[in-house]
Structures are given as structure tokens and as C-alpha cells.
Amino acid sequence: MTEVTAKQSDGAGGDGVPASAGTATGASAGTATDLMVRAEQVHKSFGSVEVLKGIDLEVRSGEVCCLLGPSGSGKSTFLRCINHLEKINAGRIWVDGELIGYRERGGKLHEMREKEVAAQRQAIGMVFQRFNLFPHMTVLENVVEAPVLLGREKKAAARERAAALLDRVGLSDKLGNYPGQLSGGQQQRVAIARALAMRPKLMLFDEPTSALDPELVGEVLDVMKDLARDGMTMIVVTHEIGFAREVGDSLVFMDGGVVVESGPPREVLANPRHSRTRDFLARVL
């Protein structure tokens, strides 16, 4: 287990991750009964380039949080930090009260083994821009693979559940098809069903419609709206302003690796307080 030396959360990069930051410390920071995600002073650098410069964020259980901002603002990087696909340089992230990627011991944070991190990721579904389906597997096999491989379900039960999930996303007639035989929107709906097959408590969407032709965007957003109605906690990096306004419970505008402003989507979109937010919205609305 790698030991990470504690350091002050002053925005510096390096290998240290603070044992405490801000006003909240230890387990108390992430254990509010209705708090699904808490990020505290999260920093991330790639070499000398600091991409995240102290992100604070809270998402409560059942909420849909939309991350908005220009390309290069750090939105996708932050999303990947939530499930430790990217290792943070400073700060902390909790999901459902559990510190992600690290354990605290003796005032220091120690990075978990990859097997332990993988176990944490099983509760966090993620849908990428580029579907990432297995091309040599059928639609049904793509959805069945992870629950069976990880021992979460027997194959027969996993197939039954996969079929039900594919029906939910409108693909009950495509079980035997291969990804290459599907449209982009259909492939993305398979990717959503695959993520749901692990029974996640949190779903992360990284610009799930950006790679789609405009006429296919609606079918993916409809599935996401259905998940929101069912109370799935979701963090969505998106440029779909209509979705954020209609479905989002909170909207976070990021730029330059920081949170510029946040609030109820309709309020932020109609009356942005910060000039950077106003300038961005003037270009996209």
C-alpha cells in the first residue's frame, strides 16, 4: 500500500494528499445520511499543468448535478477523479461516506491497492463519450459480462436482468446484435444498461451525447431522464442546456480548473452572477 504524505491543501501539486482540509475532517465530512458525493479541495495536475485547482462539491442522494463549462475547464478530469480513474494530488473525495482511493492512518492517507479501488468502482457506474463496448460481444453479452465476471450474479440471473435493462432502454429487439450493427445512440443506451447492471448507487456521465449525431441525442437523454425520475444520483458533464434546465437539481459552472458558480439550473442559466458564466452562456444559448 502506497503511503501518501499529508500536506496543506494550499493548491500545490506533488504527491501529498491532506489528511484534512477546510472545516470538515475525517469520516464526519462524508457521512451525512443524504450526502452521496463530497469533494473537498480536490487538486489534479498532469506534469506541470494544474487542471483542478481546489474543487469543492456536494451532491445529495437522488440529485442530478450537471457540470457545465468550456473545453479544458477540468470537468471530465474531475469526473474521473470521483471513481479514482485519475489519482488526485490533494484533497479528498467521498462517495456515500466512503473515502475513495485512500485510507487514513496515523494522520496520513495511504493509497489503496488497485483491487480495493476496483471494488469501490463497482458502486459507481460511468458512461463515457465513446461507448467503450466490446465489439466481439453481442449487446446482451456486453451487459452480462461484468456482473458475472465479478461474481455479483449467476449467469442465468445476470442474463435475465440484462434483458430487462435493455428493454428499459428500448433495445429489447437488439439482444443478439453486435455493437457495430447499432447506431451511436443505440450503442450509448447499451453502455447505460451495462453500467446499470452493476446496481450502482451513483452514475457518472461524461458528455454522453457529444459523439452522437443530433437526431440521436434525444433517445439517450430520454433514458437519462427516466433514471432521474427513478431517483438515481447522477453527475453529468454536458453541454445540453435543455437537459440541465429540465432535469438538473444543481448546475455547476467550471472554468480554469475551479468552480466559478453553482446553484439551481434555472437560476444560474437565467441570471448568472459571474461574468465568465455570462460570457459562456451567451455563446451556447
Side-chain angles (χ1 to χ4, degrees), residues 21 25 27 35 45 66 75-76 84 94 118 134 141 145-146 168 175 180 212 223 254 258 261:
T25 59
L35 198 60
S45 297
C66 295
K75 308 181 303 296
S76 294
H84 209 62
W94 295 265
F134 297 115
E141 290 168 343
E145 178 72 4
R168 179 177 182 179
L175 305 189
L212 302 179
V223 172
M254 291 179 60
V258 300
E261 72 175 279

Side-chain angles (χ1 to χ4, degrees), residues 1 10 12 41 61 76 100 116 131 135 141 147 150 158 164 175-176 178 195 211 218 259 280:
M1 182 179 295
D10 57 3
Q41 283 298 297
S61 182
S76 294
I100 297 298
E116 296 171 307
F131 329 133
E141 290 168 343
L150 296 172
L175 305 189
Y178 289 88
V259 172
F280 176 81

Side-chain angles (χ1 to χ4, degrees), residues 222 225 229 240-249 265-266 269:
D222 285 344
K225 291 174 185 177
R229 283 191 292 268
E240 299 292 338
I241 303 296
F243 175 86
R245 182 187 290 111
E246 178 186 349
V247 182
D249 296 293
R266 293 177 185 272
L269 294 171

Side-chain angles (χ1 to χ4, degrees), residues 42-43 50-56 68-70 72-75 252-261 274 276:
V42 172
H43 292 254
E50 191 176 21
V51 178
L52 301 179
K53 303 174 182 178
I55 301 295
D56 293 314
L68 201 65
S73 58
K75 308 181 303 296
V252 175
F253 177 70
M254 291 179 60
D255 191 22
V258 300
V259 172
V260 176
E261 72 175 279
H274 200 285
R276 280 192 286 177

Side-chain angles (χ1 to χ4, degrees), residues 36 95-96 98 122-125 199-203 232-233:
M36 180 59 70
V95 173
D96 200 20
E98 184 176 4
Q122 291 181 30
I124 306 172
R199 305 179 188 272
K201 60 182 72 174
L202 169 67
M203 285 285 286
M232 173 63 73
T233 310

Side-chain angles (χ1 to χ4, degrees), residues 261-278:
E261 72 175 279
S262 62
R266 293 177 185 272
E267 180 180 313
V268 174
L269 294 171
N271 299 294
R273 299 185 304 273
H274 200 285
S275 60
R276 280 192 286 177
T277 315
R278 289 194 294 271

Side-chain angles (χ1 to χ4, degrees), residues 1-280:
M1 182 179 295
T2 302
E3 179 180 298
V4 180
T5 304
K7 73 178 191 68
Q8 296 299 316
S9 56
D10 57 3
D15 297 327
V17 178
S20 62
T23 58
T25 59
S28 64
T31 55
T33 55
D34 64 342
L35 198 60
M36 180 59 70
V37 177
R38 177 163 185 152
E40 208 175 70
Q41 283 298 297
V42 172
H43 292 254
K44 173 64 183 178
S45 297
F46 295 101
S48 62
V49 179
E50 191 176 21
V51 178
L52 301 179
K53 303 174 182 178
I55 301 295
D56 293 314
L57 183 75
E58 290 185 355
V59 180
R60 301 198 175 276
S61 182
E63 281 189 352
V64 177
C65 174
C66 295
L67 303 184
L68 201 65
S71 296
S73 58
K75 308 181 303 296
S76 294
T77 296
F78 175 65
L79 205 69
R80 291 170 64 87
C81 288
I82 293 174
N83 63 2
H84 209 62
L85 286 175
E86 296 290 353
K87 299 176 182 180
I88 62 177
N89 299 114
R92 290 170 177 242
I93 298 173
W94 295 265
V95 173
D96 200 20
E98 184 176 4
L99 186 63
I100 297 298
Y102 300 94
R103 283 200 183 89
E104 183 177 354
R105 189 171 64 229
K108 296 179 180 178
L109 295 184
H110 303 262
E111 188 171 352
M112 290 179 173
R113 298 182 180 90
E114 181 57 34
K115 184 177 181 180
E116 296 171 307
V117 175
Q120 289 184 323
R121 289 193 191 116
Q122 291 181 30
I124 306 172
M126 187 159 186
V127 177
F128 300 87
Q129 297 177 39
R130 293 285 181 181
F131 329 133
N132 291 347
L133 301 176
F134 297 115
H136 62 289
M137 293 184 178
T138 66
V139 165
L140 184 66
E141 290 168 343
N142 264 279
V143 180
V144 166
E145 178 72 4
V148 172
L149 187 65
L150 296 172
R152 298 287 291 270
E153 291 185 270
K154 299 293 186 182
K155 191 166 187 177
R159 288 177 66 88
E160 183 177 348
R161 175 166 163 74
L165 288 169
L166 288 164
D167 180 60
R168 179 177 182 179
V169 300
L171 293 173
S172 59
D173 60 336
K174 303 293 185 183
L175 305 189
N177 287 58
Y178 289 88
Q181 299 172 308
L182 305 180
S183 70
Q186 290 170 332
Q187 289 186 62
Q188 193 62 294
R189 284 185 280 156
V190 175
I192 293 172
R194 181 179 62 180
L196 292 173
M198 292 299 293
R199 305 179 188 272
K201 60 182 72 174
L202 169 67
M203 285 285 286
L204 308 176
F205 291 87
D206 186 8
E207 298 193 43
T209 60
S210 64
L212 302 179
D213 293 332
E215 65 269 22
L216 302 178
V217 168
E219 62 190 50
V220 174
L221 293 181
D222 285 344
V223 172
M224 295 170 64
K225 291 174 185 177
D226 183 58
L227 291 177
R229 283 191 292 268
D230 281 355
M232 173 63 73
T233 310
M234 300 158 59
I235 302 179
V236 185
V237 173
T238 184
H239 292 295
E240 299 292 338
I241 303 296
F243 175 86
R245 182 187 290 111
E246 178 186 349
V247 182
D249 296 293
S250 61
L251 187 149
V252 175
F253 177 70
M254 291 179 60
D255 191 22
V258 300
V259 172
V260 176
E261 72 175 279
S262 62
R266 293 177 185 272
E267 180 180 313
V268 174
L269 294 171
N271 299 294
R273 299 185 304 273
H274 200 285
S275 60
R276 280 192 286 177
T277 315
R278 289 194 294 271
D279 290 344
F280 176 81

